[in-house]
Amino acid sequence: MRLRNSQNNLATQDTLLQIAKGRFEIGKIAENELLQMELGHLNSQNEVTTNTISLKRTSQNLARYLELETEDIELFIPEKLVDFEVSVETALDEATNNRKSVIEFRRRRLEAERNLAQIKGTNRLEINVNANFGLNKRADEYDDLFQDFDRQQNVSVSLGIPIFDWGVSKSKRKMGEADLGLVETNIEQEQQAFEQEIYLHILNWSSKRDFLATSEKAKEIAIKRYQITKERYVLGKITITDLNLAQQEKDKAELEYLNSLQNFWTDYYTLRKLTLYDFINNKKIEAENIIMD
């Protein structure tokens, strides 16, 4: 867009420069205005050169990233956005069902409960059963190693009955309960932060959508104002300063609209990543099966 604007501006500056030279010859404008027009024409030429190089460099980077064989890439700006909504309830439900963080919360809680159960279980009757089985053989010949093995096998049963431990088991149980409480508190806080993150992203995306509509309207107004200003300058009703200001505002409004469009889709796909849900098609995001040759 910058290159396109600079090319259009150069073409306009070239036309207006010819008009300014004609007016200067007949004494309708001062030399200062003619020099300002020539300076603007030179600056437009420099901008075209700079933006051409910038486009070439970014096209090469994009082609290398996408592993394309060509650098002739032309991007199209979508005329209209797809009309869709993002529900906070749906986003929270899908994030809860799909994100690995929720599974991590459950795992940590189960581990803390397991540790507490183990601590409580050590203060009760314990029965341990161990069984061992082995084979052994020595021989002077290799073939004799695999015949008539010497077998070793044993089974042991141990019984443990707690009698008195001077309060050690009670202290361990209290520590286990405290650890479980701490884990549950941390998980609850992280769940709240998790839900708040989803809500704030939806709020941010909604604001970007409103800002996008505003910037699109501002772009249309700036373009129309520039066209009117250019026509008035050709008729000799305004100065070159007013025309340059209108041109700068037009270029700025067009770039701000593109930035708003980029921010809108960036926030949307960030929300998709957080929830693993496609809000446009109202379905879960599924991984495609890729067959490698």
Side-chain angles (χ1 to χ4, degrees), residues 18-19 22 43 61 74 130 165 204 235 248 279:
Q18 301 304 320
I19 296 175
N43 290 335
N61 293 338
E74 186 176 0
N130 295 319
D165 61 357
N204 188 50
L235 297 175
Q248 293 172 5
F279 294 95

Side-chain angles (χ1 to χ4, degrees), residues 86-96 198 202 279:
V86 176
S87 170
V88 177
E89 292 76 12
T90 302
L92 289 175
D93 291 341
E94 295 299 330
T96 302
I198 300 297
I202 294 176
F279 294 95

Side-chain angles (χ1 to χ4, degrees), residues 4 64 79-80 82 121 127 151 182 195-196 207 224 256:
R4 190 180 305 169
R64 182 171 61 252
E79 296 295 334
K80 294 295 181 181
V82 179
I127 299 177
R151 296 187 178 184
L182 179 61
E195 294 176 357
Q196 187 178 25
S207 64
K224 185 175 181 180
E256 285 184 350

Side-chain angles (χ1 to χ4, degrees), residues 4-63:
R4 190 180 305 169
N5 284 341
S6 62
Q7 290 173 340
N8 293 335
N9 293 337
L10 177 59
T12 301
Q13 290 282 352
D14 186 68
T15 301
L16 297 179
L17 178 60
Q18 301 304 320
I19 296 175
K21 289 181 178 179
R23 290 179 178 176
F24 176 74
E25 291 178 357
I26 61 177
K28 285 190 174 183
I29 62 173
E31 183 179 6
N32 180 59
E33 185 170 346
L34 177 61
L35 293 176
Q36 186 176 355
M37 181 63 70
E38 292 177 346
L39 180 61
H41 186 266
L42 293 174
N43 290 335
S44 296
Q45 290 179 333
N46 292 335
E47 288 181 2
V48 170
T49 302
T50 301
N51 291 324
T52 300
I53 297 174
S54 178
L55 179 60
K56 185 68 173 178
R57 180 175 60 252
T58 53
S59 297
Q60 289 177 347
N61 293 338
L62 181 59

